[in-house]
Structures are given as structure tokens and as C-alpha cells.
């Protein structure tokens, strides 16, 4: 039984996913069942388990390690999951999404994400990556009669499987060098790498695999299509959850295991980070679909996070963790509002759909403004502190040009966030689209996300201290 | 006729050749089913690499890993073909050039 503690949060989420599947199986046709509640229970349980495991450094089977780093991201994932569940309860029926499958797949995806950040073996990282990817591919295309959904799922799947092959080939090379897939062994072998070419290949292929999952340029092509074609609630979930998990594993593999080869991969990642920030922002400005715009914004945010990895001082790593939290809360809030206003017939995802929202729904318009300002990096929201923290780490490590690109691209990105805000407050509503009512729990979820955005923006010290403490676990 | 011993080098080159073939297939072919098959080829190139080095190093880790990859590839094929079916029902084509609803 000593092997179990580290995987308890994951097990709880898996159990709630199984419960969601069972509930769907026992559901009479037409009967309403609060399946989201099951997920909510599981996620709160997993969050509590993560809280109790803090500082315990529990390990399971030699391949899963619930160190503070994994637990910090676990808690981010639980927040993402809870908000997704709360919004889904409103959205699922309206959007014609099959409920049982939707909740089960979402929860299975979360369990994969938790496993991915806690895994200390390349084989387990790969398996977890597949668990979450397969679930998210299906979620993307869960509305089968929608041509856009099917196309989005197809593109995401094809490029995802392609990148998985690269990731695997990288693992195979690491295995060739080290004779093991355990991260510590691989790290030791890499440090004394006798086959420098093989080591380089391994690092490059692993980087391609991760770059795809975090949608870094030039591996970002799937992102806008998948985010636009998927149901909005799924977009909200995957743009935050997949990113948090992939960055967690990215940081663990590159900043601890592959640290000895830093001289080789840091310059490449620096170029990718710069390109990602620029492309995400510049192309984002041209979009008129809000989901697509937020997809490009998420690419730009991947660039900021990569900058944190490049400037990998202690501060840089902690900044990545803090920024993941900040980004998750704001992005799921913004996309959640888009999802809550949409229906299957009228997705409410065009820029002009937001015209006059301030008059029709002042509360939602206000919340949306807060989330967009946080994504744009305005004080006193969390986005400002997150960006400041990352750019400061970059400057301290001497990456001046990247820091300048980062600041400039966030200034430009403010333009497209403010386009939505201007639309909401200053444009008259044209033909009033029937906006559905938002339920109490969903409103409470949004309010919590807003409180978190302000809390992290005004009093960030405590959470930053936790983040700094967490990254110590992986060095 | 001389038979040269097969060394690690040969396995590496063969696997690299298979992987490159698969990657080229994904990028050049237009039929979606063939794209799937090319991805399978890439996965099997990885398997070859793992199994060969597992054997040369005299332990089983790589072979176990290869079994995992086979299982994951099967799961991936299930999901992929399901998505493909949904796509085909909507578009009635398997040509990758017709994947053009979402762009910009």
C-alpha cells in the first residue's frame, strides 16, 4: 500500500470519470442527471488530496512522483476542471453534446494531465500524454453532426498523432543512450553523453513533441482550427488544461533531466519563444471570430511561458508555474463566457455578437472585461503580475531582445482584447440574438475566477512563494 | 558470399529510413487512410529501434515499451477511424485537400 499515495489524486479523478460513465448508462432517455456534480466531487477530492500530499514527496511504483511541482499543477488542473464542470452543467444540453461521454472524457483527460506532470519516466509521460490527447481529440469532435467539429477533430488528431510519433522517436533515442526511460537515468546518461549526435536528436525530437502540444510556432497550425471547430466549452477546457499539463512535463523534462544539454536547446527555444509571441499576436489581430482570436492569444501566451523556460533561473521556473495559473483562470473565464452565451444554432463567437452586451448583461460584460484585461496584462489584474514576473526573469538572465518582443507583443495584443471590450460597451446591439440565461452556479464560477484574477493581481506574494517552493522539487 | 554481422548501426539506419518514409508519406500523400498508415509506419520504426536496442543491451525494458506502443497505436487507430468516419459522413470525401472549412 505504500505505493499508492502519489497517485491518489489521479485515482479519485478516474473514479469520478467511471462514475460519470455509469450514471450515463443508468440514465433513462430524457432524464436529467446532475453528472457534472460527480465530476465536481471528484475534482474537489483530488484537489484536497493534492493539498494533503503537499511537502510529502510521495512516490508510486518508481515512476510517479507527487512532488510539490506536480501538486501545484494538480491544483491548477483541479481549478480548471471545477470551472469546466460548473459551466458544462449549463452548456452541455444546449449544445447537443452527449452528456455522459462528455463528462467521462473530460475527467479522463484531467487524470491523464495529472499523471503527465507527476510522471518521472518517459514511458509514463508518453502514456499520460496519449490518455489526455485521445480524450481531447474525441471531445473536439463530440458533436458528430457538425462538419466543423469533425474537421477540427480530424486535423487535431492527424497532427497530434504525427507529433506523438516524433515524441516517441525522441524517447527511443533517449532510451538508446541511457538504456532506461527513467528521467534520472536519462539525465545521468545525457550529462556524460557518449553519442552526442543521438543526444541532440533525442532532445530535438522531444522538443518537437512538446512544442506541438503547447502550440508553439511553427507547430501551432492545428490550434486555431481545433479551437474554433470544437464546442466552446471544450475549447475553454483544452486551451487551459492541455497547456498546463504539457508545460508541466516540458519543464520537468527539459529543466531537470536535459539541463546538462542546456547550451544546445536554449538558443533554439529562445527563437521559438520569440516567433510564437510574434505570430500569436500579429495573426490574432486579424481575426473576427472570438474563439479563433483567443486561440491565437493562447499561442502568444505559450510564447510568454516558453520565455519563462528559456530564462530558467529559479525565478523563471516559478514564473512559468505562476503564469500557468494566471492564464488558466483568465482564459477559462473568457471562453467560459463565450460558451455560456452560445447555443448549438447560434454559437455567439463572432466579434459582432458581443455588440451591446453591456446593456443586455452588464454582469457578464464586466466579468469578460476583467478576464480580457488580465489576458492583456493590465494592472491590477493577475496577468500584469504574471507577465512582469516572466519578463523580469528574462531581463535578469540577459534575454533583453526577447523581453522587448514580449512587452511589445503584449501591447499589440491589448488591441484585440480591447476590440471585444469596445464592442461590448460602445456598439449598439443590432439584431438581438437570443442569449440564453446563465445559471447561478455558472455565475458563481465566473465570480470565483474573477476574484482569483484580482487576488493574484493584488496580493500575489503568497502564491508566488508556493510556486518558488514547488520548483525546488525538480532541481 | 559474406554475411556481415548486423550491428546497432544497421538497426538505427533502418529505423531512421522507415521513420523518414512515414513522415514523407504524411506530408505528401493526399488520401487520409494512407496518412494514417504512414503514421503507423513511423510508430513501428520507433518500435524497431526500441526492440533492437533492448536486445543489444540484454534487457527487456525496450520490448515492454514496444508493447505499450502497439497498444497505444491500437487505441489511436480506434479514435482516429471514429473521427474519420464522422468526417466522412459530413463531407463524403477522403481527400485531404477537401479539409477546408476552417481557415484564416
Amino acid at each position: 500500500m505504500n505505493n499508492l499515495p502519489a497517485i491518489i489524486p489521479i485515482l479519485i479523478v478516474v473514479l469520478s470519470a467511471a462514475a460519470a460513465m455509469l450514471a450515463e448508462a443508468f440514465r433513462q432517455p430524457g432524464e436529467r442527471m446532475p453528472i457534472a456534480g460527480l465530476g465536481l466531487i471528484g475534482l474537489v477530492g483530488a484537489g484536497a488530496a493534492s493539498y494533503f500530499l503537499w511537502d510529502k514527496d510521495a512516490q508510486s511504483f518508481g515512476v510517479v512522483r507527487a512532488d510539490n511541482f506536480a501538486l501545484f499543477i494538480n491544483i491548477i488542473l483541479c481549478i480548471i476542471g471545477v470551472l469546466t464542470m460548473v459551466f458544462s452543467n449549463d452548456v452541455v444540453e444546449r449544445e447537443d453534446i452527449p452528456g455522459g461521454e462528455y463528462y467521462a472524457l473530460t475527467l479522463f483527460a484531467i487524470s491523464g494531465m495529472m499523471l503527465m506532470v507527476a510522471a518521472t519516466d518517459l514511458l509514463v509521460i508518453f502514456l499520460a500524454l496519449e490518455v489526455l490527447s485521445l480524450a481531447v481529440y474525441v471531445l473536439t469532435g463530440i458533436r458528430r453532426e457538425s462538419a466543423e467539429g469533425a474537421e477540427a477533430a480530424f486535423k487535431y488528431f492527424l497532427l497530434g498523432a504525427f507529433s506523438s510519433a516524433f515524441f516517441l522517436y525522441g524517447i527511443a533515442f533517449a532510451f538508446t543512450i541511457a538504456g532506461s526511460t527513467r528521467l534520472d537515468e536519462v539525465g545521468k546518461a545525457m550529462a556524460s553523453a557518449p553519442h552526442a549526435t543521438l543526444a541532440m536528436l533525442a532532445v530535438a525530437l522531444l522538443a518537437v513533441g512538446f512544442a506541438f502540444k503547447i502550440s508553439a510556432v511553427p507547430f501551432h497550425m492545428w490550434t486555431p482550427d481545433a479551437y474554433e471547430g470544437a464546442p466552446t466549452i471544450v475549447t475553454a477546457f483544452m486551451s487551459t488544461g492541455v497547456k498546463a499539463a504539457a508545460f508541466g512535463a516540458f519543464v520537468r523534462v527539459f529543466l531537470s533531466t536535459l539541463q546538462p544539454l542546456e547550451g544546445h536547446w536554449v538558443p533554439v527555444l529562445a527563437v521559438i519563444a520569440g516567433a510564437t509571441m510574434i505570430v500569436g499576436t500579429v495573426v490574432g489581430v486579424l481575426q473576427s471570430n472570438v474563439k479563433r482570436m483567443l486561440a491565437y492569444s493562447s499561442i502568444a501566451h505559450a510564447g510568454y511561458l516558453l520565455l519563462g523556460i528559456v530564462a530558467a533561473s529559479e525565478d523563471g521556473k516559478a514564473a512559468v508555474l505562476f503564469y500557468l495559473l494566471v492564464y488558466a483562470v483568465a482564459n477559462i473565464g473568457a471562453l467560459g463566457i463565450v460558451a455560456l452565451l452560445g447555443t448549438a444554432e447560434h454559437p455567439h463567437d463572432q466579434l459582432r455578437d458581443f455588440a451591446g452586451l453591456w446593456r443586455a448583461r452588464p454582469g457578464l460584460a464586466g466579468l469578460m472585461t476583467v478576464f480580457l484585461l488580465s489576458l492583456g496584462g493590465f494592472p491590477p489584474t493577475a496577468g500584469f503580475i504574471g507577465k512582469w514576473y516572466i519578463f523580469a526573469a528574462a531581463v535578469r538572465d540577459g534575454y533583453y531582445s526577447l523581453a522587448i518582443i514580449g512587452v511589445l507583443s503584449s501591447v499589440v495584443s491589448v488591441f484585440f482584447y480591447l476590440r471585444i471590450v469596445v464592442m461590448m460597451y460602445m456598439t449598439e446591439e443590432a439584431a438581438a440574438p437570443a442569449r440564453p440565461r446563465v445559471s447561478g452556479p455558472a455565475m458563481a464560477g465566473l465570480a470565483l475566477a474573477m476574484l482569483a484574477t484580482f487576488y493574484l493581481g493584488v496580493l500575489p506574494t503568497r502564491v508566488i512563494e508556493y510556486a518558488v517552493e514547488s520548483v525546488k522539487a525538480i532541481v | 558470399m559474406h554475411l556481415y554481422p548486423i550491428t546497432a548501426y544497421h538497426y538505427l539506419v533502418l529505423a531512421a529510413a522507415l521513420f523518414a518514409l512515414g513522415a514523407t508519406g504524411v506530408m505528401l500523400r493526399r488520401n487520409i487512410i494512407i496518412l494514417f498508415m504512414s503514421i503507423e509506419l513511423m510508430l513501428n520504426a520507433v518500435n524497431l529501434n526500441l526492440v533492437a536496442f533492448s536486445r543489444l543491451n540484454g534487457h527487456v525494458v525496450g520490448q515492454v515499451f514496444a508493447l505499450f506502443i502497439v497498444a497505444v497505436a491500437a487505441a489511436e487507430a480506434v479514435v482516429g477511424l471514429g473521427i474519420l468516419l464522422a468526417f466522412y459522413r459530413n463531407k463524403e470525401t477522403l481527400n485531404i485537400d477537401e479539409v477546408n472549412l476552417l481557415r484564416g
Side-chain angles (χ1 to χ4, degrees):
Chain A
M1 291 304 281
N2 274 339
N3 265 328
L4 279 183
I7 55 170
I8 285 176
I10 303 168
L11 280 181
I12 295 176
V13 177
V14 170
L15 280 178
S16 67
M21 279 205 297
L22 275 178
E24 173 70 12
F26 284 105
R27 190 172 68 97
Q28 305 294 328
E31 183 191 350
R32 295 198 59 179
M33 213 181 235
I35 305 180
L38 289 173
L40 218 51
I41 294 170
L43 288 163
V44 171
S50 304
Y51 174 78
F52 286 117
L53 283 170
W54 190 264
D55 271 339
K56 299 273 195 310
D57 200 13
Q59 300 195 32
S60 289
F61 310 105
V63 291
V64 180
R65 183 166 176 189
D67 47 20
N68 288 351
F69 177 76
L71 294 173
F72 192 91
I73 297 186
N74 264 4
I75 289 177
I76 298 180
L77 289 170
C78 287
I79 294 171
I80 293 171
V82 165
L83 290 176
T84 309
M85 290 297 142
V86 172
F87 301 153
S88 303
N89 200 29
D90 271 30
V91 171
V92 161
E93 219 166 297
R94 224 160 44 213
E95 293 252 22
D96 285 336
I97 299 173
E101 291 91 329
Y102 167 81
Y103 288 114
L105 282 169
T106 307
L107 290 164
F108 279 129
I110 294 176
S111 73
M113 292 165 186
M114 288 180 170
L115 184 57
M116 189 166 170
V117 291
T120 56
D121 187 302
L122 285 170
L123 170 59
V124 181
I125 292 183
F126 167 70
L127 288 178
L129 176 72
E130 287 300 315
V131 168
L132 84 89
S133 301
L134 289 178
V136 175
Y137 299 149
V138 181
L139 282 173
T140 307
I142 199 158
R143 268 196 317 225
R144 278 182 302 170
E145 65 291 347
S146 139
E148 284 85 5
E151 180 173 322
F154 168 72
K155 279 183 178 165
Y156 190 16
F157 170 79
L158 196 69
L159 290 170
F162 190 51
S163 78
S164 290
F166 280 96
F167 189 68
L168 264 181
Y169 204 30
I171 297 179
F173 279 131
F175 171 75
T176 306
I177 299 163
S180 162
T181 52
R182 291 177 57 97
L183 285 180
D184 45 353
E185 307 256 342
V186 172
K188 259 183 251 156
M190 287 279 186
S192 59
H195 313 288
T197 330
L198 282 185
M200 287 302 100
L201 275 171
V203 173
L205 290 164
L206 287 172
V208 170
F210 280 123
F212 176 88
K213 282 295 159 205
I214 60 170
S215 58
V217 173
F219 309 101
H220 67 291
M221 290 86 75
W222 60 275
T223 316
D225 291 345
Y227 285 13
E228 185 187 343
T232 314
I233 186 71
V234 174
T235 310
F237 172 65
M238 71 179 175
S239 65
T240 47
V242 175
K243 206 154 264 179
F247 261 105
F250 198 170
V251 168
R252 191 189 285 277
V253 171
F254 273 73
L255 291 182
S256 68
T257 310
L258 301 179
Q259 180 85 26
L261 301 173
E262 201 178 32
H264 295 284
W265 57 258
V266 163
V268 181
L269 281 194
V271 173
I272 292 182
T276 308
M277 290 187 280
I278 294 173
V279 170
T281 323
V282 172
V283 188
V285 170
L286 307 173
Q287 305 304 320
S288 62
N289 180 307
V290 173
K291 274 159 88 177
R292 215 173 168 81
M293 188 187 284
L294 288 173
Y296 279 105
S297 120
S298 89
I299 295 175
H301 285 278
Y304 305 137
L305 285 158
L306 267 179
L307 179 52
I309 293 187
V310 169
S313 53
E314 199 89 321
D315 284 349
K317 290 178 221 173
V320 171
L321 278 183
F322 183 73
Y323 201 83
L324 273 177
L325 177 61
V326 167
Y327 163 79
V329 173
N331 210 49
I332 204 169
L335 276 166
I337 290 180
V338 181
L340 288 169
L341 289 173
T343 56
E345 300 79 47
H346 183 78
H348 203 281
D349 60 356
Q350 295 298 320
L351 198 52
R352 61 174 179 279
D353 290 337
F354 283 83
L357 188 67
W358 169 246
R359 289 188 176 226
R361 300 286 176 81
L364 284 182
L367 288 164
M368 186 78 176
T369 313
V370 171
F371 298 136
L372 290 175
L373 290 182
S374 179
L375 287 173
F378 271 87
T381 57
F384 170 72
I385 301 289
K387 275 192 179 133
W388 178 76
Y389 201 32
I390 282 193
F391 296 154
V395 167
R396 214 168 303 139
D397 270 26
Y399 294 98
Y400 297 108
S401 48
L402 279 180
I404 291 170
I405 292 179
V407 172
L408 286 181
S409 73
S410 21
V411 171
V412 176
S413 75
V414 166
F415 170 74
F416 61 74
Y417 297 126
L418 284 189
R419 267 173 81 192
I420 305 180
V421 175
V422 168
M423 210 40 135
M424 290 191 299
Y425 289 88
M426 295 174 193
T427 314
E428 285 299 316
E429 199 164 0
R435 297 191 178 106
R437 221 179 58 82
V438 179
S439 73
M443 237 15 214
L446 287 173
L448 277 181
M450 181 196 70
L451 282 181
T453 303
F454 279 124
Y455 174 71
L456 293 172
V458 180
L459 304 163
T461 330
R462 188 126 174 242
V463 180
I464 287 180
E465 269 165 19
Y466 277 118
V468 171
E469 205 183 309
S470 319
V471 291
K472 283 195 188 123
I474 58 160
V475 223
Chain B
M1 194 178 91
H2 287 286
L3 282 178
Y4 294 102
I6 295 178
T7 60
Y9 178 73
H10 293 99
Y11 286 115
L12 271 180
V13 171
L14 177 61
L18 282 176
F19 191 86
L21 266 180
T24 322
V26 174
M27 284 183 269
L28 295 184
R29 297 305 292 259
R30 317 264 32 122
N31 184 301
I32 294 172
I33 299 281
I34 297 193
L35 296 189
F36 278 23
M37 288 162 64
S38 302
I39 291 177
E40 293 292 313
L41 189 62
M42 294 167 77
L43 293 182
N44 281 322
V46 175
N47 275 344
L48 182 66
N49 224 343
L50 286 170
V51 173
F53 277 90
S54 176
R55 174 115 178 96
L56 290 172
N57 292 335
H59 53 62
V60 293
V61 182
Q63 298 175 35
V64 173
F65 199 154
L67 286 177
F68 272 103
I69 294 181
V70 171
V72 168
E76 221 171 51
V78 170
V79 169
L81 289 175
I83 290 173
L84 185 57
L85 206 59
F87 175 75
Y88 183 76
R89 286 206 177 121
N90 283 306
K91 295 279 289 199
E92 305 266 308
T93 174
L94 283 178
N95 189 328
I96 192 93
D97 296 322
E98 305 281 323
V99 184
N100 53 13
L101 278 177
L102 304 160
R103 55 176 59 205

